Amino acid sequence: MPLTLRDLNRATLARQFLLRREALDVAPAVRRLVGLQAQQPASPYLALWNRLAGFDPAALDAAFADGSLVKATLMRITLHVVHADDHPAMHLALRRTLRGSRLGDRRFAETGLTPAEADALVPDLLAFAADRPRTGAEIEAWIAERAPLSPKGVLRVMRSIAPLRHAPTGGAWSFGPRPAYLAARPGSVPGDEDDCLRELTLRYLEAFGPASVLDVAQFALVHRPRARAALKALSDRLERLEGPDGTELFDVPGAPRPGGDTPAPPRLMAMWDNLLLAHADRARVIPPAYRKLVIRANGDVLPTLLVDGHVAGVWRPAEGGIEASAFHPLPETTWDELAAEARELLALLAGRDPRVYLSYARWWGALPAAEVRILPA
């Protein structure tokens, strides 16, 4: 029998710890989740708060400080938090995408470097950033001695093609507005870049499946033939399923697939949460009518209300609590549950940054009329 969108929704929620909060430490949790989007420094903290029972943000601070979790440019050429042991293989799996996004950019031509010359800089740059964090200004000065035409442009390239990680710089969420960089520690990888992509694909299915070829390509931002080849190579380890409209889906045998009628509690999701971005067909989580409301044309992904497993509105801090804007009427019992979540979120923000995400408030003026409440109330 084909899986419905609700079946897919509940399967992904279960694997993303969003049907119930799980009792896990932060490092193994991130490994199970594959990675957390981290363009905004607060988002990994809020992502884990939504998923882990008794989440202590100090534990995530410590994992960043000791290097067990790293922040680096990876999937979809965006900043992700991943387990340090996973970073080498992930970077190798995505190397073609990371290189192509920068070396194929017209701005790279302005640096005066050839791709071979850019690649040749990588080992020396990693040695330069091996012993202590290097600021962007320090790396630009280092580059200026080797490629004086456009040090800023070369740094932009190096941030992607070199296996660098962001070093914690302090602030409410471990990373401030001015990044510093460290060479990622080397580690074992399961073969060449195609072997690494197969491993990443398997991990993706465990955390976000069932999924299609297009979903795998979207999550990693790799060409469809590479995604298809990875799934084909894994065929003896995967189940084939039928999704809505006859879509061919792949999954890991024995992975959770609760029924579409399984209850899903409300959540206040972080900006850029991977739940919203990990599939080509985002209708399993975002109703199509709401997609352009929460994923803006410039790529910003607003903090959302998740109700019955689906996006139902957005939220932001406000005077006296959390301002929640619902895109459709919600039952009073749901508002009560959202208020309980808001109390917990406000307690987390109070010790960190009560005004988190307010720099993105310009988007709220463009939202349609909706029911708006201040939570808790």
Side-chain angles (χ1 to χ4, degrees):
M1 180 178 296
L3 296 171
T4 67
L5 272 178
R6 284 188 67 88
D7 292 333
L8 296 178
N9 173 275
R10 291 316 197 250
T12 302
L13 293 182
R15 300 174 202 197
Q16 285 289 299
F17 309 155
L18 290 168
L19 291 182
R20 66 173 185 271
R21 287 179 166 97
E22 299 289 340
L24 287 172
D25 292 335
V26 295
V30 170
R31 197 160 211 185
R32 290 265 300 276
L33 296 165
V34 181
L36 307 172
Q37 288 226 187
Q39 292 98 311
Q40 216 287 342
S43 288
Y45 289 82
L46 272 60
L48 290 178
W49 166 74
N50 270 307
R51 291 164 165 87
L52 300 185
F55 170 65
D56 181 358
L60 186 51
D61 296 338
F64 287 137
D66 67 21
S68 55
L69 293 178
V70 301
K71 178 176 176 177
T73 300
L74 290 166
M75 285 74 74
R76 299 185 297 283
I77 324 173
T78 56
L79 288 171
H80 275 74
V81 171
V82 300
H83 197 284
D85 292 345
D86 293 335
H87 179 265
M90 287 182 177
H91 188 272
L92 183 56
L94 303 172
R95 183 171 62 179
R96 289 188 213 175
T97 297
L98 296 171
R99 290 184 80 257
S101 70
R102 296 298 180 249
L103 300 184
D105 190 309
R106 62 172 179 79
R107 288 171 289 185
F108 175 68
E110 298 170 359
T111 68
L113 292 180
T114 67
E117 289 169 336
D119 287 335
L121 286 176
V122 170
D124 290 342
L125 174 59
L126 294 178
F128 179 67
D131 297 329
R132 64 181 179 88
R134 300 289 185 171
T135 66
E138 287 178 311
I139 294 178
E140 285 176 20
W142 181 89
I143 291 170
E145 297 177 359
R146 295 155 179 82
L149 189 59
S150 179
K152 286 185 181 295
V154 176
L155 173 58
R156 180 176 179 274
V157 171
M158 291 295 114
R159 287 196 304 246
S160 292
I161 71 171
L164 294 169
R165 65 181 177 94
H166 285 226
T169 54
W173 310 105
S174 289
F175 300 93
R178 296 182 182 277
Y181 304 92
L182 274 168
R185 69 190 188 205
S188 62
V189 296
D192 63 16
E193 60 188 69
D194 289 329
D195 294 320
C196 291
L197 181 60
R198 286 192 285 274
E199 179 64 23
L200 178 58
T201 299
L202 190 63
R203 296 277 305 285
Y204 166 73
L205 292 175
E206 290 170 344
F208 292 98
S212 67
V213 170
L214 295 184
D215 292 329
V216 173
Q218 162 64 28
F219 175 76
L221 199 61
V222 299
H223 293 305
R224 294 176 191 177
R226 287 194 73 202
R228 189 174 291 110
L231 288 164
K232 182 178 180 180
L234 292 166
S235 60
D236 62 343
R237 301 171 64 183
L238 300 178
E239 288 184 78
R240 291 192 179 205
L241 304 167
E242 184 180 347
D245 302 322
T247 304
E248 184 180 37
L249 301 174
F250 302 86
D251 204 6
V252 178
R257 287 203 295 268
D261 58 352
T262 303
R267 292 286 185 262
L268 300 169
M269 304 299 288
M271 286 195 79
W272 288 286
D273 196 282
N274 256 344
L275 180 73
L276 278 62
L277 297 171
H279 302 90
D281 182 3
R282 292 169 179 168
R284 75 169 67 190
V285 176
I286 309 175
Y290 300 160
R291 179 166 171 167
K292 290 185 178 180
L293 299 180
V294 299
I295 302 179
R296 312 305 299 181
N298 74 335
D300 285 345
V301 181
L302 302 185
T304 55
L305 309 179
L306 202 67
V307 174
D308 189 30
H310 296 82
V311 169
V314 295
W315 66 268
R316 62 177 174 174
E319 190 68 31
I322 297 294
E323 179 186 295
S325 299
F327 296 151
H328 57 258
L330 301 178
E332 284 302 317
T333 53
T334 298
W335 282 113
D336 290 342
E337 291 173 312
L338 286 169
E341 290 292 306
R343 277 189 287 271
E344 298 295 328
L345 177 57
L346 289 168
L348 172 66
L349 297 180
R352 296 277 166 162
D353 178 13
R355 298 173 60 82
V356 67
Y357 300 148
L358 279 187
S359 61
Y360 300 91
R362 66 189 182 279
W363 295 122
W364 268 254
L367 294 174
E371 183 175 9
V372 180
R373 298 192 185 187
I374 303 297
L375 305 175

